[in-house]
Amino acid sequence: DPRWPRLGHALSRSRVRVALYMACLAFGTQISAPFFTPYMLRELSLDYKAFAGLSVLSILAKALTFPCCHRWAERMGQRSVLRWGGVGVALIPMMWAISSELPALIVAHVLGGAVWAAVESASYQLLLESAPAEFTAEFFSLSSAATGVAQVAGAALGGLLLGTPHIDYRAIFILSALLVTLPLVLLFV
């Protein structure tokens, strides 16, 4: 099959640091991300109006931040935008673990939308630059597959841990913050 050698060439001739970071980020994020909704609705007893309002704030912050990412990247570079976005992403689950008050949740959702816009914008551009032009599609496929597997594995692990005694939502959020912080080494080294 001629596709297998192309995948091998895409992997061997590309810089994989950003792809590896994104897979690790997906794993760490998904340890807790699937549990934000049940946490808000069950544990915090937020009504649907407050829940929807928080979701809207996150989407709005992302929509407003995304167009700014290009200007920031021109000034600081894509890698810096990804680094600082990654630091912000690491703060989000920690904010959830520290406070369950509505003002803190508002800040977490607005910050979350903004930093995810930075991560998504910069990582896309950096992934485009990571592979030779003739292997871009294959490299994106490999990167997406790795990220998808990491998302499923992270969510499964989070679900397993949350189902054990002595592990609550806050512990899952702290673990997620730690697992999202560790791969930042790939970007700062």
Side-chain angles (χ1 to χ4, degrees):
D1 188 352
R3 291 178 295 216
W4 290 111
R6 287 192 61 79
L7 288 173
H9 289 306
L11 193 56
S12 66
R13 294 183 185 172
S14 301
R15 296 180 310 274
V16 298
R17 189 176 289 214
V18 173
L20 182 60
Y21 169 73
M22 293 305 293
C24 292
L25 178 65
F27 178 80
T29 300
Q30 291 301 314
I31 292 279
S32 66
F35 308 109
F36 287 149
T37 299
Y39 174 70
M40 287 189 288
L41 297 177
R42 290 184 196 151
E43 295 291 315
L44 302 183
S45 300
L46 289 181
D47 61 26
Y48 288 111
K49 190 175 181 179
F51 173 75
L54 288 171
S55 298
V56 166
L57 284 174
S58 181
I59 293 166
L60 185 60
K62 190 174 189 179
L64 293 173
T65 303
F66 205 83
C68 301
C69 293
H70 179 71
R71 288 193 304 275
W72 296 337
E74 286 178 339
R75 282 190 221 134
M76 307 184 311
Q78 294 288 2
R79 193 168 291 280
S80 289
V81 172
L82 182 58
R83 282 182 193 131
W84 293 111
V87 168
V89 167
L91 293 173
I92 303 306
M94 196 52 106
M95 292 174 75
W96 281 84
I98 292 171
S99 178
S100 60
E101 299 298 318
L102 190 57
L105 296 178
I106 290 170
V107 170
H109 273 78
V110 170
L111 178 64
V115 296
W116 274 108
V119 166
E120 290 172 12
S121 174
S123 66
Y124 177 75
Q125 295 301 320
L126 289 167
L127 285 171
L128 279 176
E129 298 169 6
S130 294
E134 66 269 20
F135 297 115
T136 301
E138 291 84 0
F139 183 71
F140 260 82
S141 295
L142 290 168
S143 178
S144 293
T147 298
V149 168
Q151 286 175 319
V152 171
L157 180 59
L160 288 172
L161 291 173
L162 196 56
T164 61
H166 311 297
I167 305 261
D168 62 2
Y169 287 107
R170 291 189 196 295
I172 292 294
F173 298 152
I174 291 168
L175 176 61
S176 180
L178 176 66
L179 291 175
V180 170
T181 301
L182 291 175
L184 284 169
V185 169
L186 292 167
L187 301 179
F188 281 97
V189 176

